[in-house]
Amino acid sequence: MKKDYIVTIPARYKSSRLPGKPLKLINGKAMINHVWDLCTKAVGKQNVVVLTDDIRIKIHCLKHNISFFMTSKSCKTGTDRIFQFAKQNIYNYYINVQGDEPLLSPSSIKKVLNFTKKMKCSTNCYLECTDIDYKNINIPKVVINNNKDLLYMSRAPIPSSKIKDSQIIANKQICIYGFTYNDLIKFGKTKFKTRNEIFEDIEILRFLDIGIKIKMLKLKHSSMAIDTLEDLKKVRKIFENKFKKN
């Protein structure tokens, strides 16, 4: 019998743009601890697990009483880590919270979980993006139809217009995903990255490439993924200012 849901936090040490990212300190606490705390506030400790292939993150989790599951080093993406976990741990729904999003709101995690269960399909989130976000190649932009289905996602500025200086309303991806068990298994059994996934370096495009629909949910709370050292400095400053106010 399937369990209802699990919140997973894929955590990779060997990030190409920011090595050791999950263990980088923010306000005296490792990034992975911040994300763990947000997730456990949303759904409770018994419903959250960190997925990693690195012994340093394993040791850190043991030290801080964080539940973890070791995946192989061959995983191509964070979602492939969840697929490996799902082969041994069957749930109806898997919520994927990126380990580099320490500014997420617990209410957003709950909202994604409830939305995924309501829609009974795989999901992702978005917010309107600023002009700076629109031009930032580290931030995936999403194109959505009138039914809130994901049409495409790119690090390039999309949608675009041939009319110079036209006013464009664009949306950016927020990295909380919801997967059904069946969709996750189909994703993982696709042994190679798909063409658009490789080209854009965005794993969610594999779902679209193999014909799986993704429903999009607009969130109320903004967030910021940490991809680079500059991002880390910005988030540290946000926490520093928040600490001063409190």
Side-chain angles (χ1 to χ4, degrees):
M1 183 177 175
K2 289 181 185 176
K3 298 177 184 178
D4 190 20
Y5 73 90
I6 187 75
V7 173
T8 63
I9 309 172
R12 183 167 66 100
Y13 192 90
K14 293 182 179 180
S15 168
S16 58
R17 287 174 288 183
L18 187 60
K21 181 162 61 171
L23 302 185
K24 296 293 185 186
L25 294 181
I26 301 171
N27 196 30
K29 187 162 66 172
M31 190 187 307
I32 193 70
N33 291 66
H34 284 286
V35 178
W36 169 263
D37 289 345
L38 294 173
C39 292
T40 57
K41 283 178 184 176
V43 299
K45 289 183 179 181
Q46 70 279 11
N47 297 311
V48 186
V49 62
V50 169
L51 308 180
T52 188
D53 64 355
D54 194 276
I55 189 67
R56 288 160 288 195
I57 295 175
K58 173 185 176 179
I59 291 170
H60 182 85
C61 288
L62 286 169
K63 182 179 178 181
H64 293 271
N65 197 28
I66 293 173
S67 299
F68 67 92
F69 178 89
M70 297 300 291
T71 63
S72 77
K73 294 185 180 294
S74 64
C75 289
K76 297 179 285 294
T77 68
T79 307
D80 288 293
R81 292 192 197 287
I82 303 173
F83 166 71
Q84 279 199 355
F85 173 79
K87 289 194 291 183
Q88 297 182 38
N89 301 272
I90 300 176
Y91 292 82
N92 289 316
Y93 304 102
Y94 300 79
I95 306 303
N96 178 357
V97 177
Q98 301 292 80
D100 59 3
E101 293 260 5
L103 296 176
L104 283 173
S105 161
S107 63
S108 294
I109 298 169
K110 281 185 182 178
K111 193 171 182 180
V112 174
L113 172 61
N114 293 333
F115 180 70
T116 305
K117 291 170 74 171
K118 178 183 176 182
M119 301 307 297
K120 293 183 170 57
C121 71
S122 294
T123 62
N124 194 193
C125 309
Y126 71 98
L127 277 171
E128 286 186 15
C129 63
T130 64
D131 289 341
I132 293 174
D133 291 340
Y134 182 66
K135 295 170 184 175
N136 188 338
I137 62 169
N138 290 316
I139 298 176
K141 272 67 69 175
V142 300
V143 177
I144 305 163
N145 68 15
N146 291 342
N147 292 322
K148 302 298 183 186
D149 298 320
L150 176 63
L151 294 179
Y152 195 66
M153 191 180 295
S154 177
R155 297 182 187 277
I158 59 170
S160 188
S161 174
K162 66 181 181 180
I163 302 171
K164 188 178 180 181
D165 298 325
S166 61
Q167 185 67 35
I168 296 171
I169 298 174
N171 296 305
K172 66 178 180 179
Q173 179 195 38
I174 302 297
C175 291
I176 316 177
Y177 315 108
F179 306 129
T180 65
Y181 174 78
N182 289 338
D183 286 352
L184 188 58
I185 296 302
K186 289 176 185 175
F187 175 98
K189 285 185 175 180
T190 305
K191 295 183 179 180
F192 301 99
K193 287 187 176 185
T194 57
R195 181 179 179 182
N196 288 323
E197 178 188 7
I198 294 170
F199 188 72
E200 297 282 5
D201 189 25
I202 299 174
E203 66 206 71
I204 295 306
L205 289 174
R206 195 187 313 176
F207 286 93
L208 298 188
D209 285 342
I210 62 175
I212 293 174
K213 180 171 70 175
I214 301 288
K215 279 288 184 184
M216 299 298 292
L217 170 68
K218 187 173 184 178
L219 295 178
K220 292 181 179 179
H221 301 285
S222 187
S223 182
M224 178 180 170
I226 298 175
D227 293 307
T228 65
L229 182 58
E230 283 304 309
D231 294 336
L232 179 61
K233 289 177 180 178
K234 288 177 185 177
V235 171
R236 280 174 172 166
K237 195 69 178 176
I238 290 169
F239 272 85
E240 184 182 316
N241 292 336
K242 185 179 178 182
F243 183 75
K244 285 178 181 177
K245 288 179 183 179
N246 294 335

Short mmCIF file of all heavy atoms in Angstrom, two decimals, residues 22-23 30 32-33 55-66:
data_model
loop_
_atom_site.label_atom_id
_atom_site.label_comp_id
_atom_site.label_asym_id
_atom_site.label_seq_id
_atom_site.Cartn_x
_atom_site.Cartn_y
_atom_site.Cartn_z
N PRO A 22 25.45 22.95 -0.29
CA PRO A 22 24.53 22.65 0.82
C PRO A 22 25.09 22.94 2.20
O PRO A 22 24.32 23.16 3.15
CB PRO A 22 24.28 21.14 0.65
CG PRO A 22 24.57 20.85 -0.78
CD PRO A 22 25.69 21.77 -1.13
N LEU A 23 26.41 22.95 2.33
CA LEU A 23 27.04 23.16 3.63
C LEU A 23 27.56 24.59 3.83
O LEU A 23 28.16 24.89 4.87
CB LEU A 23 28.17 22.15 3.85
CG LEU A 23 27.76 20.67 3.76
CD1 LEU A 23 28.94 19.77 4.10
CD2 LEU A 23 26.57 20.35 4.67
N ALA A 30 24.20 25.95 8.25
CA ALA A 30 24.36 25.44 6.89
C ALA A 30 23.08 25.63 6.08
O ALA A 30 21.97 25.55 6.62
CB ALA A 30 24.75 23.96 6.92
N ILE A 32 21.62 23.70 4.01
CA ILE A 32 20.72 22.54 4.04
C ILE A 32 19.88 22.52 5.31
O ILE A 32 18.72 22.09 5.30
CB ILE A 32 21.53 21.22 3.89
CG1 ILE A 32 20.59 20.04 3.60
CG2 ILE A 32 22.40 20.95 5.10
CD1 ILE A 32 19.96 20.07 2.25
N ASN A 33 20.42 23.04 6.42
CA ASN A 33 19.65 23.12 7.67
C ASN A 33 18.51 24.12 7.56
O ASN A 33 17.41 23.89 8.07
CB ASN A 33 20.56 23.51 8.84
CG ASN A 33 21.54 22.43 9.20
OD1 ASN A 33 22.43 22.12 8.41
ND2 ASN A 33 21.42 21.85 10.39
N ILE A 55 29.40 11.82 1.17
CA ILE A 55 29.66 11.42 2.55
C ILE A 55 29.70 12.62 3.48
O ILE A 55 29.31 12.53 4.65
CB ILE A 55 30.98 10.60 2.63
CG1 ILE A 55 31.14 9.99 4.03
CG2 ILE A 55 32.17 11.46 2.26
CD1 ILE A 55 30.15 8.94 4.37
N ARG A 56 30.14 13.79 2.97
CA ARG A 56 30.21 14.99 3.81
C ARG A 56 28.82 15.46 4.22
O ARG A 56 28.60 15.87 5.37
CB ARG A 56 30.97 16.10 3.08
CG ARG A 56 32.46 15.85 2.97
CD ARG A 56 33.11 16.65 1.87
NE ARG A 56 32.74 16.13 0.54
CZ ARG A 56 33.38 16.45 -0.58
NH1 ARG A 56 34.42 17.27 -0.53
NH2 ARG A 56 33.00 15.95 -1.74
N ILE A 57 27.88 15.36 3.29
CA ILE A 57 26.50 15.75 3.62
C ILE A 57 25.87 14.70 4.53
O ILE A 57 25.13 15.02 5.46
CB ILE A 57 25.68 15.96 2.33
CG1 ILE A 57 26.27 17.14 1.54
CG2 ILE A 57 24.21 16.21 2.65
CD1 ILE A 57 25.63 17.37 0.19
N LYS A 58 26.19 13.43 4.30
CA LYS A 58 25.70 12.36 5.18
C LYS A 58 26.16 12.59 6.62
O LYS A 58 25.35 12.51 7.56
CB LYS A 58 26.21 11.00 4.69
CG LYS A 58 25.88 9.86 5.65
CD LYS A 58 26.52 8.54 5.17
CE LYS A 58 26.27 7.43 6.19
NZ LYS A 58 26.86 6.14 5.74
N ILE A 59 27.44 12.87 6.81
CA ILE A 59 27.98 13.11 8.16
C ILE A 59 27.30 14.32 8.80
O ILE A 59 26.95 14.31 9.98
CB ILE A 59 29.51 13.31 8.09
CG1 ILE A 59 30.19 11.98 7.72
CG2 ILE A 59 30.05 13.84 9.41
CD1 ILE A 59 31.66 12.12 7.39
N HIS A 60 27.08 15.36 8.00
CA HIS A 60 26.40 16.56 8.50
C HIS A 60 24.98 16.23 8.95
O HIS A 60 24.53 16.69 10.01
CB HIS A 60 26.37 17.63 7.41
CG HIS A 60 25.74 18.91 7.84
ND1 HIS A 60 26.43 19.90 8.51
CD2 HIS A 60 24.46 19.36 7.72
CE1 HIS A 60 25.61 20.90 8.77
NE2 HIS A 60 24.41 20.60 8.30
N CYS A 61 24.27 15.44 8.16
CA CYS A 61 22.90 15.06 8.51
C CYS A 61 22.87 14.24 9.80
O CYS A 61 22.00 14.44 10.67
CB CYS A 61 22.27 14.27 7.36
SG CYS A 61 21.86 15.27 5.91
N LEU A 62 23.80 13.31 9.93
CA LEU A 62 23.88 12.50 11.16
C LEU A 62 24.11 13.39 12.38
O LEU A 62 23.51 13.20 13.43
CB LEU A 62 25.00 11.47 11.03
CG LEU A 62 24.72 10.26 10.12
CD1 LEU A 62 26.00 9.48 9.87
CD2 LEU A 62 23.65 9.36 10.72
N LYS A 63 25.00 14.35 12.24
CA LYS A 63 25.34 15.26 13.34
C LYS A 63 24.15 16.10 13.76
O LYS A 63 23.98 16.40 14.96
CB LYS A 63 26.50 16.16 12.91
CG LYS A 63 26.98 17.11 13.99
CD LYS A 63 28.15 17.94 13.48
CE LYS A 63 28.60 18.95 14.55
NZ LYS A 63 29.74 19.78 14.05
N HIS A 64 23.29 16.46 12.80
CA HIS A 64 22.18 17.38 13.08
C HIS A 64 20.82 16.69 13.12
O HIS A 64 19.78 17.37 13.09
CB HIS A 64 22.18 18.51 12.06
CG HIS A 64 23.37 19.43 12.16
ND1 HIS A 64 23.38 20.54 12.97
CD2 HIS A 64 24.60 19.36 11.58
CE1 HIS A 64 24.56 21.14 12.87
NE2 HIS A 64 25.32 20.45 12.03
N ASN A 65 20.83 15.37 13.20
CA ASN A 65 19.58 14.60 13.31
C ASN A 65 18.62 14.89 12.16
O ASN A 65 17.41 15.08 12.34
CB ASN A 65 18.89 14.90 14.65
CG ASN A 65 17.85 13.85 15.02
OD1 ASN A 65 17.95 12.68 14.62
ND2 ASN A 65 16.84 14.26 15.77
N ILE A 66 19.18 14.91 10.95
CA ILE A 66 18.41 15.13 9.72
C ILE A 66 18.26 13.79 8.99
O ILE A 66 19.25 13.10 8.75
CB ILE A 66 19.12 16.15 8.81
CG1 ILE A 66 19.11 17.53 9.47
CG2 ILE A 66 18.48 16.20 7.43
CD1 ILE A 66 19.94 18.58 8.72
#
